[in-house]
Amino acid sequence: MDPSAVAVPHTLAHLEPLLPTPPARVLEVGCGRGALAAALADLGYKVTGVDRNAEMAAAATRAWTAS
């Protein structure tokens, strides 16, 4: 099972009430493979994700450009 399948909905449930209305800009620091950033983008946010781990950032970029 992909951990983001559980973590992303849980995080969104707590985060959404705190966010401005889309299409606000969101910065996700520590984006990992970009699952949360993608979910936020699906909700209409303009998302920038950064990660200090270059391999994770590259994986997020690949996933983002493949969709």
Side-chain angles (χ1 to χ4, degrees), residues 28-57:
E28 184 186 2
V29 178
C31 70
R33 295 186 182 277
L36 180 59
L40 288 166
D42 288 345
L43 293 174
Y45 291 95
K46 297 177 189 222
V47 184
T48 299
V50 296
D51 200 290
R52 99 185 251 194
N53 182 317
E55 291 176 22
M56 289 295 214

Side-chain angles (χ1 to χ4, degrees), residues 9-34:
H10 176 78
T11 302
L12 282 176
H14 293 282
L15 188 60
E16 276 187 283
L18 305 173
L19 292 172
T21 306
R25 294 176 63 188
V26 176
L27 172 64
E28 184 186 2
V29 178
C31 70
R33 295 186 182 277

